[in-house]
Amino acid sequence: MDRTRPDDLYPPIDPYDSGMLDVGDGNLVYWEVCGNPDGKPALVVHGGPGSGCTPRARQYFDPDRYRVVLFDQRGCGRSTPHASDPATDMRHNTTHHLIADMERLREHLNITDWLLYGGSWGSTLILAYAQTHPERVTEAVISSVTTTRRSEIDWLYRGAGQIFPEAWHTFRESVPEATGLVTAYAHRMESPDPAVRERATAAWCAWEDAVLSMEANPGPPPYSSRTDLAQQAFVRICAHYFSHGAWLRENQLIDEAHRLTGIPAALIHGRFDLGGPLITAWELDRAWPDAELTVIADAGHLGGPATKRAVLAALDGFAAT
């Protein structure tokens, strides 16, 4: 299917199949498939962690050439139980659980291997999955590259305060007793008191919005504008993952990038991404022999027109392979 202009997304499409996959531990993961049933398989790996997949992600793929799979990771979106419910047990929600869920979904859909597409937290999960199952990954398209190193987490929730000191002071003072800021928020999100969880959610989302506030974004604030339940799930899952370093060794995904040899990849990153500075994408590009990094001069973490064009070009290019 042709797009009108090179920077146009493909037209909106609806799934032709969807369901809830039992992945164990009482979790049901929502999934959907759209595009061409006989097309090249591709999996969309959403960010957050805990943001859920969106219909817009479908529009990056040529529906005539791709069989596009989307899923909501444990605890968010349409997957159940939802992390906004304080009764949901977070012990069964880790990076390793999500890798296993992706593999179970692949098997459920009878897919031999697939292209992976995602950004931000999604890039961390793509890398972790691909390094665990490299034989199952044909290509990768990754934007806003992160590997969720503790140094990256420290930058996002402390270091960036050098640029936004007023907002960071408010974020910090919302948990004044804390010695470890992210861990303190994780504890607040497990409180039986809904008012405690709501205050922590609002403070976390306000800080996330502040970090993105210098980027061109004509819409409402990216995090504070979400529904209350979506915000609570997002913050609870983020704080849970980041307080544990995503259950990865420091620098693991870059140190193990040699496991990705033979997997072509497009890495696309904004020069002024304050949520995830360019250094991570640059280091990954140097460690991954088959990756090619494109730096977008006028974009940040949310991307922009040039980011969109680069992602579309990469996905269109891989559609023929």
Side-chain angles (χ1 to χ4, degrees):
M1 177 182 293
D2 292 331
R3 289 176 278 115
T4 304
R5 298 192 310 271
D7 59 346
D8 280 341
L9 296 179
Y10 287 96
I13 53 174
D14 293 322
Y16 65 79
D17 196 9
S18 64
M20 300 291 285
L21 180 65
D22 187 342
V23 294
D25 309 310
N27 282 273
L28 297 176
V29 166
Y30 171 82
W31 59 269
E32 63 184 39
V33 189
C34 56
N36 181 353
D38 298 318
K40 179 185 181 73
L43 178 69
V44 175
V45 185
H46 69 68
S51 289
C53 61
T54 64
R56 183 178 173 82
R58 307 169 190 156
Q59 294 180 249
Y60 280 88
F61 297 86
D62 184 339
D64 291 336
R65 297 194 288 174
Y66 275 106
R67 178 188 179 191
V68 187
V69 181
L70 300 91
F71 76 111
D72 289 330
Q73 295 160 30
R74 291 191 185 203
C76 68
R78 288 149 289 188
S79 294
T80 61
H82 205 257
S84 62
D85 181 350
T88 298
D89 189 347
M90 297 298 289
R91 293 177 302 170
H92 304 302
N93 197 332
T94 72
T95 304
H96 308 297
H97 285 99
L98 300 186
I99 292 170
D101 293 349
M102 292 163 67
E103 188 64 358
R104 187 171 299 194
L105 178 59
R106 181 191 64 77
E107 293 172 348
H108 176 73
L109 297 175
N110 295 314
I111 292 172
T112 301
D113 49 27
W114 44 13
L115 175 149
L116 304 181
Y117 163 62
S120 193
W121 159 255
S123 62
T124 295
L125 187 52
I126 285 172
L127 294 169
Y129 174 89
Q131 290 180 15
T132 305
H133 302 286
E135 74 284 358
R136 300 304 182 189
V137 181
T138 55
E139 303 92 5
V141 177
I142 301 173
S143 60
S144 303
V145 179
T146 72
T147 64
T148 316
R149 292 178 289 189
R150 288 158 183 82
S151 59
E152 295 171 49
I153 297 167
D154 181 68
W155 163 261
L156 179 56
Y157 298 107
R158 187 190 61 81
Q162 298 175 68
I163 302 171
F164 306 101
E166 308 94 334
W168 190 82
H169 177 76
T170 301
F171 180 55
R172 177 68 181 83
E173 289 303 304
S174 296
V175 285
E177 80 291 351
T179 54
L181 191 56
V182 173
T183 299
Y185 271 94
H187 289 161
R188 293 292 179 94
M189 294 307 296
E190 298 303 318
S191 172
D193 185 343
V196 171
R197 300 195 303 273
E198 289 168 8
R199 286 194 296 269
T201 296
W204 183 288
C205 288
W207 170 246
E208 296 273 8
D209 285 338
V211 174
L212 301 180
S213 61
M214 294 174 64
E215 301 189 22
N217 178 37
Y223 296 100
S224 300
S225 61
R226 302 181 186 192
T227 66
D228 290 346
L229 293 182
Q231 284 186 48
Q232 290 174 33
F234 166 74
V235 175
R236 189 180 181 200
I237 294 171
C238 276
H240 172 62
Y241 272 72
F242 297 160
S243 64
H244 288 91
W247 297 271
L248 299 168
R249 299 188 314 277
E250 186 68 352
N251 222 53
Q252 176 179 330
L253 298 180
I254 293 178
D255 288 344
E256 298 293 319
H258 62 87
R259 296 182 57 81
L260 305 175
T261 299
I263 300 174
L267 309 179
I268 301 155
H269 204 97
R271 173 73 69 182
F272 63 88
D273 185 339
L274 296 180
L278 177 60
I279 184 65
T280 296
W282 183 79
E283 290 177 349
L284 179 62
D285 177 58
R286 286 168 59 87
W288 187 346
D290 299 279
E292 180 176 349
L293 173 62
T294 299
V295 178
I296 308 299
D298 61 349
H301 197 72
L302 296 175
T307 305
K308 181 172 64 174
R309 288 194 294 272
V311 170
L312 286 166
L315 290 171
D316 283 349
F318 286 142
T321 61

